[in-house]
Amino acid sequence: MNKSALILSCAVLVAGAASAADPATIDWSKIPAVKVPLFYPGQSSYEWLRSADHKKAQKETIEGQACISCHKNEEKALGEKLVKGGDLEPMPVKGKNGFLELSVQAAYDAKNAYFRYQWKTNGKAGIEYPYYRFDGKAWKVHGGPRLDQAVQDGQQPAIYEDRLSMMVDDGKVPMFAQQGCWLSCHEGERDLNAATKEEAADNGLLKAIKKTDVRKYLPASRSDPQDWTTGKSPDEIARIKTAGGFVDLIQWRAHRTNPVSMADDGYVLEYRNFDAGKNAFASNMDGTTKQPKFMFDTAKFGARAVAVADLGKKDHFLIKGANAVPFDPNAGWKEGDLLPRYVLSAAEAAGSGADNKASGSWSNGVWTVVLVRPLNLANDDDKAFAEGKVYNVGFAVHDDNITTRGHQVSFVRTVGIGTKADIQAVKLP
């Protein structure tokens, strides 16, 4: 998306909202920019931090000492060491950067909070997501993130979208202020000594919440905080949620949300959940027919499918109301035809899951992303930004065709809405 598209998209975000600023007209040169260092963490999970392998620090970690109290200004050295391989990185990714600097600016008015992020990518912008490929008989996944064994072995091409995440706590999650997103990264999750399908299928909590794998979770959701298998009952977890013991997870995605000017809204407690309602992207696979649900409108896209030769050369977003039409199984599909795994729709996004608007532009190797989030949200799955309050936040960036733990992350920072904090949101005139 180019700069002019960013301006147009940002203007659309708040059309009709008389009391809200137009993000495209905010003079960001007058808003202080805070440089937040992000580093590659490898497999430094919640459990590892509390083990003897975390030399001379496990006792302090268990007691709740802040990570930054020992590692202030060490982010670059840590990331560049961990990314190369070793005990905390058994599968190093060639050319992966261990460190990046995220520029964060914040503003607000009577209606919204506005965040502007900028970072330099490690290569081209990742605006594609793995596809479905027709092999002559069936549609199978094509492409994957660079931590996948099939990609490292050369059996699949490296394809994955860039992503920016912000995790938010309002002070109700024990130890988040000190240890941030490490509270959500556990053994058993994908690319963290992942639980087997059989182990996940046999777990009582995962059965109860109808999940088939282990994703981010908070220690309070387990009877033993260091054992993912010891999940508390859904009733106990509901009580924790009602008390505010969850963290908000806001994610901007270069393929699945940016083309429709949104960022998805979720939260972490017993699992990495999406908020109630419906977000802007949905699976493009029909579970019954085992065929895609939508294909491209030839008149608008120029073809019914994506050609392998065009990967990385133009936008391949499948959007309802713009270039998507119902899939026709009799359209003469050929081996090698590709269709996106997700179909997008801002119009169908609804409820708490549709709170966040966002738009990103990539130019000269740098992403600029503007996020718009309403103030004073009353949903039971949101952390509500409000004037005069301070929040604990953690940032993460995924780029260079990678996902899961292959990101760069920050130690905890604070955001103040019109009040003193590491990152202070400035009130707009």
Side-chain angles (χ1 to χ4, degrees):
M1 185 180 288
N2 59 33
K3 291 181 179 178
S4 60
L6 172 65
I7 293 172
L8 174 61
S9 184
C10 284
V12 171
L13 297 181
V14 292
S19 62
D22 177 349
T25 64
I26 295 174
D27 186 354
W28 290 104
S29 68
K30 295 182 179 179
I31 309 297
V34 176
K35 306 298 184 182
V36 180
L38 275 61
F39 69 99
Y40 189 91
Q43 291 184 335
S44 56
S45 65
Y46 178 90
E47 292 78 17
W48 182 87
L49 292 176
R50 287 156 177 77
S51 74
D53 292 329
H54 190 193
K55 298 176 182 178
K56 299 181 181 179
Q58 70 267 34
K59 179 176 181 291
E60 290 80 2
T61 303
I62 293 169
E63 291 174 348
Q65 186 167 309
C67 298
I68 203 166
S69 65
C70 289
H71 298 295
K72 187 175 182 180
N73 299 322
E74 292 183 0
E75 291 92 341
K76 191 172 191 295
L78 282 171
E80 291 181 348
K81 177 182 178 181
L82 292 174
V83 78
K84 293 176 182 177
D87 292 342
L88 284 176
E89 184 44 85
M91 190 181 288
V93 173
K94 184 178 180 180
K96 182 62 187 169
N97 53 322
F99 173 83
L100 64 80
E101 191 173 69
L102 179 69
S103 173
V104 184
Q105 295 166 277
Y108 74 103
D109 55 24
K111 190 175 182 66
N112 298 315
Y114 306 89
F115 293 89
R116 183 175 186 256
Y117 310 93
Q118 290 186 301
W119 72 95
K120 183 176 178 59
T121 59
N122 187 30
K124 295 181 179 179
I127 60 172
E128 296 188 276
Y129 191 89
Y131 292 83
Y132 288 124
R133 179 184 182 275
F134 188 61
D135 68 0
K137 296 181 179 180
W139 292 87
K140 299 178 180 179
V141 173
H142 177 79
R146 293 212 290 154
L147 275 173
D148 279 11
Q149 191 67 55
V151 174
Q152 294 215 353
D153 291 344
Q155 299 172 15
Q156 288 278 16
I159 301 174
Y160 214 80
E161 65 186 342
D162 291 350
R163 186 160 89 242
L164 169 78
S165 305
M166 180 167 71
M167 199 173 279
V168 183
D169 163 51
D170 57 359
K172 296 179 180 178
V173 175
M175 287 206 295
F176 188 90
Q178 292 75 35
Q179 297 173 9
C181 65
W182 275 269
L183 267 65
S184 70
C185 294
H186 299 269
E187 301 292 318
E189 296 173 11
R190 297 175 302 165
D191 291 321
L192 272 171
N193 301 311
T196 66
K197 291 182 179 179
E198 293 76 18
E199 289 172 332
D202 195 44
N203 181 259
L205 174 58
L206 294 180
K207 285 181 182 179
I209 61 176
K210 299 180 180 179
K211 303 297 183 183
T212 60
D213 64 358
V214 184
R215 299 286 175 101
K216 289 182 179 295
Y217 68 84
L218 295 183
S221 68
R222 266 59 179 181
S223 301
D224 178 351
Q226 297 195 54
D227 183 353
W228 71 264
T229 68
T230 63
K232 293 182 179 178
S233 71
D235 286 344
E236 291 176 291
I237 290 168
R239 285 193 289 271
I240 296 170
K241 183 183 175 187
T242 299
F246 63 91
V247 290
D248 216 309
L249 180 59
I250 300 167
Q251 298 188 87
W252 168 90
R253 306 168 188 261
H255 180 90
R256 287 180 283 177
T257 68
N258 193 51
V260 290
S261 300
M262 298 192 75
D264 56 72
D265 199 359
Y267 70 95
V268 178
L269 180 51
E270 80 289 4
Y271 198 78
R272 192 197 72 188
N273 301 290
F274 286 119
D275 280 7
K278 190 175 181 181
N279 59 31
F281 57 93
S283 172
N284 190 34
M285 177 58 67
D286 186 314
T288 301
T289 66
K290 306 301 181 184
Q291 294 180 326
K293 296 177 181 178
F294 293 89
M295 64 184 189
F296 287 105
D297 183 338
T298 303
K300 296 178 179 178
F301 184 71
R304 65 174 177 268
V306 176
V308 172
D310 289 334
L311 293 180
K313 295 180 181 178
K314 66 176 186 176
D315 295 347
H316 297 140
F317 311 126
L318 186 61
I319 305 174
K320 290 184 180 180
N323 64 6
V325 294
F327 179 78
D328 179 1
N330 300 312
W333 299 101
K334 298 179 181 178
E335 183 178 352
D337 283 344
L338 302 173
L339 286 174
R341 289 180 63 188
Y342 285 89
V343 59
L344 318 181
S345 175
E348 293 182 359
S352 183
D355 288 331
N356 304 317
K357 306 297 184 286
S359 192
S361 172
W362 189 79
S363 178
N364 298 319
V366 175
W367 272 115
T368 298
V369 173
V370 177
L371 170 75
V372 182
R373 183 173 174 86
L375 295 179
N376 304 311
L377 289 168
N379 306 312
D380 66 0
D381 47 18
D382 283 320
K383 296 295 184 179
F385 286 126
E387 187 173 27
K389 293 189 176 182
V390 177
Y391 303 83
N392 306 307
V393 298
F395 301 103
V397 164
H398 290 81
D399 73 352
D400 198 20
N401 298 301
I402 207 161
T403 188
T404 61
R405 63 175 172 78
H407 52 4
Q408 288 87 17
V409 297
S410 74
F411 291 131
V412 177
R413 295 296 189 272
T414 55
V415 168
I417 308 299
T419 192
K420 188 175 181 180
D422 297 331
I423 302 164
Q424 184 170 328
V426 175
K427 191 165 188 177
L428 297 172

